[in-house]
Amino acid sequence: MTEDPRQREMELPPRASSLVESLRDMGYSLRTALADVIDNSITAGARNIHLLADTHHAAPAIGILDDGVGMTEEELFEAMRPGTRNPLETRSADDLGRFGLGLKTASFSQCRRLTVITRKASAVSCATWDLDKVAERDRWVVEIPDNADHVRWSGRLQDNGTLVVWEKLDRLVSPDRQDGRHDLVRQLDEAATHVEFVFHRFLSGRVGGRLAISMNDRELRPFDPFHSNHPATQHHPEETIRLDSGEIRIWPVTLPHHDKVTAEEWKRFAGPEGYVSNQGFYLYRNRRLIVHGTWFRLARQLELTKLARVGIDIPNTLDADWKIDVRKASAQPPAPVRERLRRIIERIGVPSRRAYTGRGARLTEASRLPVWRRVQDKNHIFYRIDEQNPVLAAFRDDLDPARARDFERILRLLASTFPLEALHVDVSAIPEEVRLSQIGSEDLRVIASSMWHILRSRGQSPTEIEEWMRSAEPFRARWAETSRVLTEICKSAGSTENR
Ligand SMILES: Nc1ncnc2c1ncn2[C@@H]1O[C@H](COP(=O)(O)OP(=O)(O)OP(=O)(O)O)[C@@H](O)[C@H]1O
Ligand SMILES: [Mg+2]
């Protein structure tokens, strides 16, 4: 292209002192920042990563030490450059990076002083970004110390590997807060839990050999949100979606019901946000968890489907399609994938937003609710007592007309005062403790028996009645007892008929 001589040009490099402060606010938290630095260590082929935190020192510091390939001095300087690599560039298939920014943006989000010491082929190189110096000089200058011995933990560097050190943790410990250090310890604990979660497939050794990560020498253990090894976990058929730029693998799972796991497991797999919020897709990019607990607006997070979790594996060639962000903490499925995802979740019983009306109604179909009816009009859903229910109808038919009308009124009163809000609050907060009240054995016997006689008098066969009661509450849940009652009835009915 030839330059247009009439056009004026001017170079406007970003103002270092201002831009460097903006780079700090890309929305990282301590845990997402640590995960971003760990990504680099994994990409560098590390087998052991040590997260180090010195919270007792007057000037607390955090270190991330790996035994990966390390960098030459030239590579280190390039690594320290903000925007060192172009996101449009093709990366190797197991590279967890994309933007050439993470090391800097993640570190600056937590500290004002970032030092990287690295060793490759026994040569040690070191460089430091000190944001106070950048601000003061208003220039992008890195410090290059002659010797790295003074840097905390530098003695732990192996023959090959890299140590990232964060100092001046202004965002993590505010000097005027008494509880600052205590809060840092809490955040580090949370970060360790996060690392056990997002890197669980590396920690469990299922991907290319085992990776060990420790926090202050405590070994971190993988947390698999699918509870894959539990016998009561249901694994639904996997699917693959092939796009020009890569392949997507999808594996839906239903977690074990709470009576199949210990109370401790139930709580652990709920996660801090609970089962309802943690249902949904779990998106892994190169086996590293990016996003979890969302249906990507394809379905609602319902109590009914709280145990559904659907894993999605994408390669890094699909980054642009999925709109992966710098923090590796948000993504959106591209249009051609959305429809497939919708079909997959519907198949495993998650009513998609579109199908909710139909499926919701089916899941609570009348045969399951012999006393209550779910009624839906255009805008509302009601729960009513079914006055045509055989037991209720038979009782009403025995009353004189005035009492019968009173009885119907009472039923309507009960339905209209159903404690919907209290129930909703309880079911959302502590679903495992919410139970229907049980009717006693004698009541069950009387109701089952009168139901049987009423239906029989309407001409239904014993097999038909049994079939129906087997799927209707309260008999379904207490089928062993109900079945005994029916056997007794049949026996005595049989002897009457024989006489
Ligand atoms: N621990 C490490 N070991 C070896 N090389 C590293 C390490 N950390 C960073 N690098 C090098 O520095 C480069 C820049 O890292 P940075 O995290 O800033 O960007 P990225 O990983 O390329 O992309 P992203 O912004 O998506 O993280 C990396 O591409 C890698 O070459
Ligand atoms: Mg990176």
Side-chain angles (χ1 to χ4, degrees), residues 208-224:
R210 212 175 86 85
L211 168 74
I213 307 182
S214 68
M215 164 82 80
N216 279 349
D217 296 323
R218 171 172 73 86
E219 192 166 331
L220 303 188
R221 305 235 303 274
F223 173 70
D224 161 23

Side-chain angles (χ1 to χ4, degrees), residues 36 40-41 44 66 70-71 79 84-85 91 97-104 162 328:
D36 214 337
N40 290 341
S41 299
D66 72 49
M71 290 173 268
T84 169
R85 292 178 65 179
R91 300 246 187 170
R98 170 170 168 75
F99 295 94
L101 274 175
L103 172 64
K104 286 73 60 175
T162 301
K328 322 288 178 325

Side-chain angles (χ1 to χ4, degrees), residues 3-16:
E3 279 183 31
D4 181 348
R6 288 162 304 174
Q7 196 167 301
R8 287 204 308 150
E9 278 183 356
M10 192 176 156
E11 199 174 332
L12 282 177
R15 203 181 288 285

